[in-house]
Amino acid sequence: MFTDRAKIFIKSGKGGDGHVSFRRELYVPAGGPDGGDGGRGGDIIFQVDDGLNTLVDFRHVRKYTATNGSPGGKKRCHGADGKDLIIKVPEGTVIKELESGKVIADMSGENRREIILKGGKGGLGNMHYATSTMQAPKYAQPGQESQELWVILELKVIADVGLVGFPNVGKSTLLSRVSNAKPKIANYHFTTLNPHLGVVDLSDGAGFVMADIPGIIEGASEGVGLGHDFLRHIERTKVLIHVVDAASTEGRDPVEDIRTIKSELKKYQAELDERPQVIAANKIDALYESGEDPISRLRQAFEPEGIEVYPISAVSGQGVRELLYKVYDMLKTLDQKPVIFQREFDLEALHAGSDLPYSVNRNEEGEYVVEGPRIEKMLGYTNLESEKGFVFFQNFLKESGILDELEKAGIQEGDTVRMYGLVFDYYK
């Protein structure tokens, strides 16, 4: 089964806690602190696997978690690092954050491997906190928390040219004739439910990659049927070939078909309808001389818009060569770099907790409430019961600008400040 979309949960490993211990050996009565550091948590890494062409594996496994770092030990022993988790995906997979839909990474082109979530840093053992005034610190730093996200994986095929059209107009037949692709072909609607790729080889080493995009129906841009699943694969293509049944063997009007598909493209993503396009008027082998000439109708309707019409027969091969060379000439005028989706989601802010937001508000009881992911993250790895930890907490409030924000909000000495489960009185 071809699967081109999946929703999964990913979570990096938590950092191991630092250790509190003191050296105790014969003849060394006061050996000092020797607690080791915790190990680093494992990263979540996405990697392209050329042997994959579908996201079907993610239908069965939805949660991916790297291992935690081990805590530090006695005698300055460093905890073991957590093992990274490598998630293999096919080339062309776009990773998006679930809630916002923003692109985190596009696993295409040169981007073969990327760290998406970093494991938490290991906490420092108490051996780091000895000073001339505190020679026996009983404090060690907790390991940094893990990171987690729900993400959407979308596979968008990588092709220079996309064949678009209603079901049963001959797209699969055309692709099989001009390339090495072998799509299943039969005379019924929606034979093709998978996008097929084929390499078109022309003379003198010229060529391009062509994709047979499954049949689009009216309403596809709103997700009718499998519309969104199909339209997704057109996003990387540079040139679109509209394949229509010029002979109207099923009673369809080829002019109206193209107008409908162009409308669906525009609704889904306006930029798609602005890409270079050409019309392949297929099944001319089934045309009869009686009645109105459909090729003339197509040319009158679309050539004023700059869309040329090429009569072809995908079955006999008539006119196909001229169509392919026209498409190749169009491609030569375009940027040769593959279409890559740029990052929109700020992973750096997620990696660096200092960039996370916070808010300062006053509640009905007159308390000043400071909250947000930045505060929650800081409290998660700070031991406020120790002298060292409390000093760190005070410095954090000052350096992060929270104290300035409280004063702007009108706080006075003796007023109450609440941060999640922590409540204290404010004094300068």
Side-chain angles (χ1 to χ4, degrees):
M1 176 183 288
F2 181 86
T3 304
D4 60 2
R5 197 170 192 270
K7 180 176 78 171
I8 64 171
F9 174 79
I10 55 176
K11 183 177 181 179
S12 62
K14 177 185 179 299
D17 295 337
H19 188 71
V20 176
S21 63
F22 298 90
R23 185 180 174 193
R24 293 291 182 266
E25 295 179 23
L26 192 61
Y27 308 121
V28 187
D34 69 349
D37 301 341
R40 177 187 61 83
D43 298 334
I44 294 288
I45 301 172
F46 278 77
Q47 181 173 302
V48 171
D49 185 337
D50 292 325
L52 297 176
N53 60 8
T54 173
L55 300 175
V56 68
D57 291 344
F58 297 99
R59 291 172 62 92
H60 310 294
V61 182
R62 296 293 181 93
K63 294 190 176 182
Y64 296 81
T65 304
T67 57
N68 297 332
S70 298
K74 299 178 179 179
K75 299 182 179 179
R76 300 176 177 255
C77 288
H78 194 290
D81 290 340
K83 188 176 181 181
D84 296 337
L85 179 62
I86 298 176
I87 301 175
K88 295 183 178 180
V89 295
E91 185 175 7
T93 300
V94 179
I95 307 165
K96 296 182 176 181
E97 197 270 329
L98 175 63
E99 293 298 326
S100 65
K102 292 183 176 180
V103 174
I104 297 174
D106 185 351
M107 306 304 294
S108 306
E110 297 180 358
N111 190 25
R112 309 284 296 179
R113 177 185 172 98
E114 182 160 350
I115 298 174
I116 301 300
L117 296 183
K118 291 183 179 179
K121 294 180 181 179
L124 300 177
N126 71 332
M127 64 178 179
H128 293 277
Y129 296 102
T131 66
S132 58
T133 57
M134 186 190 299
Q135 297 184 3
K138 296 180 180 179
Y139 167 76
Q141 187 182 36
Q144 199 174 55
E145 289 299 318
S146 58
Q147 299 174 345
E148 58 185 53
L149 276 178
W150 277 97
V151 297
I152 292 291
L153 307 182
E154 290 184 349
L155 179 57
K156 302 175 190 283
V157 298
I158 300 175
D160 302 305
V161 178
L163 299 175
V164 295
F166 276 78
N168 206 31
V169 295
K171 299 188 303 299
S172 297
T173 304
L174 176 59
L175 183 67
S176 65
R177 167 166 286 279
V178 303
S179 75
N180 56 354
K182 303 297 178 187
K184 294 180 181 179
I185 301 171
N187 188 30
Y188 51 89
H189 287 183
F190 286 104
T191 301
T192 305
L193 291 180
N194 308 341
H196 289 283
L197 291 178
V199 178
V200 178
D201 290 320
L202 303 175
S203 60
D204 302 323
F208 51 85
V209 178
M210 180 184 287
D212 167 19
I213 308 299
I216 296 174
I217 61 174
E218 190 169 0
S221 59
E222 282 82 35
V224 173
L226 300 177
H228 278 174
D229 295 338
F230 297 161
L231 288 166
R232 182 179 305 123
H233 296 293
I234 305 175
E235 293 182 43
R236 292 193 198 272
T237 57
K238 300 173 183 175
V239 173
L240 299 179
I241 301 178
H242 292 274
V243 183
V244 292
D245 178 359
S248 300
T249 57
E250 296 188 352
R252 303 193 61 85
D253 182 344
V255 173
E256 287 305 312
D257 279 1
I258 293 177
R259 293 205 186 282
T260 299
I261 288 175
K262 283 172 63 63
S263 175
E264 293 301 319
L265 293 175
K266 192 177 296 184
K267 290 177 188 175
Y268 178 73
Q269 190 179 113
E271 187 269 336
L272 287 178
D273 189 47
E274 298 171 3
R275 293 188 185 175
Q277 300 171 43
V278 65
I279 295 171
N282 193 25
K283 302 188 181 182
I284 59 172
D285 53 302
L287 280 176
Y288 300 98
E289 294 187 0
S290 60
E292 188 178 9
D293 180 9
I295 305 301
S296 296
R297 284 187 63 226
L298 286 166
R299 284 176 172 155
Q300 289 172 6
F302 297 106
E303 288 194 347
E305 299 178 17
I307 303 176
E308 295 187 32
V309 178
Y310 285 79
I312 69 164
S313 170
V315 171
S316 68
Q318 182 181 351
V320 171
R321 179 181 175 85
E322 291 80 0
L323 170 68
L324 296 179
Y325 273 94
K326 169 60 180 178
V327 170
Y328 181 65
D329 288 340
M330 294 168 73
L331 285 171
K332 286 193 296 185
T333 66
L334 303 174
D335 188 352
Q336 299 304 305
K337 295 180 181 178
V339 177
I340 304 294
F341 296 93
Q342 299 301 313
R343 174 176 292 166
E344 301 167 333
F345 186 79
D346 190 0
L347 272 181
E348 294 304 317
L350 186 66
H351 293 164
S354 59
D355 291 334
L356 294 173
Y358 67 86
S359 63
V360 176
N361 298 294
R362 195 171 188 181
N363 62 20
E364 296 177 355
E365 288 76 29
E367 299 173 328
Y368 289 83
V369 180
V370 184
E371 57 187 0
R374 184 172 181 181
I375 309 301
E376 194 171 16
K377 194 177 187 73
M378 182 276 299
L379 293 175
Y381 61 79
T382 305
N383 183 359
L384 297 178
E385 295 180 0
S386 73
E387 180 183 348
K388 195 86 173 181
F390 193 73
V391 171
F392 171 81
F393 171 69
Q394 289 179 312
N395 289 336
F396 170 82
L397 294 179
K398 182 178 179 180
E399 293 171 2
S400 63
I402 293 175
L403 292 182
D404 292 337
E405 290 293 327
L406 286 168
E407 291 184 2
K408 286 180 184 178
I411 196 169
Q412 302 295 323
E413 289 199 6
D415 286 346
T416 301
V417 179
R418 181 180 295 274
M419 294 185 184
Y420 294 95
L422 179 67
V423 179
F424 62 91
D425 293 332
Y426 175 80
Y427 292 99
K428 286 190 177 181

